[in-house]
Amino acid sequence: MLRHPQVSPVVLCFLFRETPDGGQEVLLGLKKTGFGVGRIVTLGGHVEPGETAAQAAVREVFEESGVSVAEEDLEPAGSIEFMFPARPDWDMSTVVYRTWNWSGEPAPSTEITPAWYSVDAVPYAQMWEDSAYWLPKVIAGDYFAAAVTLAPDNECVGSVVFS
Ligand SMILES: Nc1[nH]c(=O)nc2c1ncn2[C@H]1C[C@H](O)[C@@H](COP(=O)(O)OP(=O)(O)OP(=O)(O)O)O1
């Protein structure tokens, strides 16, 4: 009998800050290794066995940027199912968090070079194409559930459905 492969649980965590002129910035980063290499991505990664999604977010943010976030400061922002019909083993089930409360100074890690971007100038052209569909909701403070199906090239958007 065919068995469905396990969908990987992952987390994405968006850190925000206010600039002196009252603007808002979001922390993203250039991915230097592994999945999504060469793209500007969100801090985050796989939930390890025995971890909660929130624990994984705290750990991934620290490992990738050196920034500390307390679990209680993580605001649930929603969920995204990333589906790669041409590579079902890449499918990921994502919990999304945002926070304005964190401490430390973002610093490069082996995996990511973090950088702040104005929420009015998110570098969508250098990100996963689907980001342009759902990231505005994270910035707007919405709670959302998205199902993202990638095109056969595993890069372009096939469809994005919000429920
Ligand atoms: N279509 C997509 N759009 C997007 O914006 N992010 C995506 C995406 N598909 C996957 N991701 C994100 C979710 C997750 O944070 C990340 C993959 O996890 P990782 O960065 O942890 O993978 P790696 O293989 O580099 O590292 P490890 O898990 O640490 O071994 O890619």
Side-chain angles (χ1 to χ4, degrees), residues 76-148:
S79 61
I80 311 171
E81 301 298 318
F82 291 119
M83 289 169 287
F84 297 81
R87 283 299 301 266
D89 53 318
W90 289 359
D91 288 356
M92 296 180 209
S93 182
T94 309
V95 175
V96 185
Y97 294 102
R98 71 168 79 77
T99 184
W100 289 81
N101 293 316
W102 44 270
S103 61
E105 197 55 46
S109 59
T110 51
E111 207 178 337
I112 280 194
T113 298
W116 293 101
Y117 293 88
S118 166
V119 296
D120 300 319
V122 175
Y124 288 116
Q126 298 166 68
M127 302 181 72
W128 285 93
E129 191 180 288
D130 52 80
S131 309
Y133 291 75
W134 53 263
L135 183 42
K137 294 185 184 294
V138 180
I139 291 170
D142 293 349
Y143 186 89
F144 67 96
V148 174

Side-chain angles (χ1 to χ4, degrees), residues 37-67:
V37 65
R39 287 194 171 94
I40 294 176
V41 301
T42 316
L43 302 184
H46 289 89
V47 180
E48 290 179 355
E51 263 186 339
T52 64
Q55 287 168 342
V58 169
R59 176 184 53 73
E60 288 282 355
V61 168
F62 187 74
E63 285 177 3
E64 293 182 348
S65 71
V67 169

